[in-house]
Amino acid sequence: MINTEIVFAASAARTESGQSSGDSILPQAFLYSQGTVVLDVTVDESTANDKLDVFIQRKLPGGIWDTIARFTQHDGNAAAQRYVLDIYNDGNVTPVARLTDDVVGTPVLAEATVRGVPFCSALRIAWVVTDDSDAASYTFEVRGQFTGR
């Protein structure tokens, strides 16, 4: 049994959209059968119309990143909040034709949605900050715990 914890995004204030990279990407994701990913928003210095969206993405052949899960949207000016998603490496699901979102900031999945699909070669997170006030700032971190055989 393998058990791995990864910090996809260390706690920091973020004012722009981005994604995890380097050591903050889970390599050989196909080895894991399941994972629990936690988004912990600790400080929200935004206004009511600002938004934070965080996605879990898998790496497809050709280097394309495909969204497999989306946390509940964190509204601006909200209290600190912790969100949890359980994801499963499921290659035995009925295929569903859909568009991929290879452009960060083009959400294809509804909030709080998880697709049961194979993890493929790697996993990362991406986030989109919608700044309606020109002053949005979110302090958050994203951690994952993955298990497999």
Side-chain angles (χ1 to χ4, degrees), residues 15-93:
T15 58
E16 297 180 356
S17 301
Q19 65 276 331
S20 57
S21 61
D23 290 340
S24 297
I25 293 177
L26 181 68
Q28 298 182 318
F30 55 84
L31 296 174
Y32 301 94
S33 57
Q34 62 189 19
T36 298
V37 183
V38 178
L39 164 63
D40 199 1
V41 181
T42 55
V43 178
D44 180 345
E45 296 177 356
S46 304
T47 64
N49 291 329
D50 298 331
K51 309 284 183 214
L52 172 66
D53 281 296
V54 178
F55 308 89
I56 301 171
Q57 298 178 321
R58 65 181 177 160
K59 189 174 185 180
L60 298 176
I64 297 169
W65 290 96
D66 176 47
T67 298
I68 64 170
R70 180 179 178 192
F71 284 93
T72 299
Q73 186 177 70
H74 185 84
D75 292 327
N77 202 26
Q81 187 74 33
R82 181 171 293 139
Y83 305 93
V84 178
L85 283 179
D86 293 313
I87 60 175
Y88 299 90
N89 190 0
D90 189 354
N92 298 316
V93 297

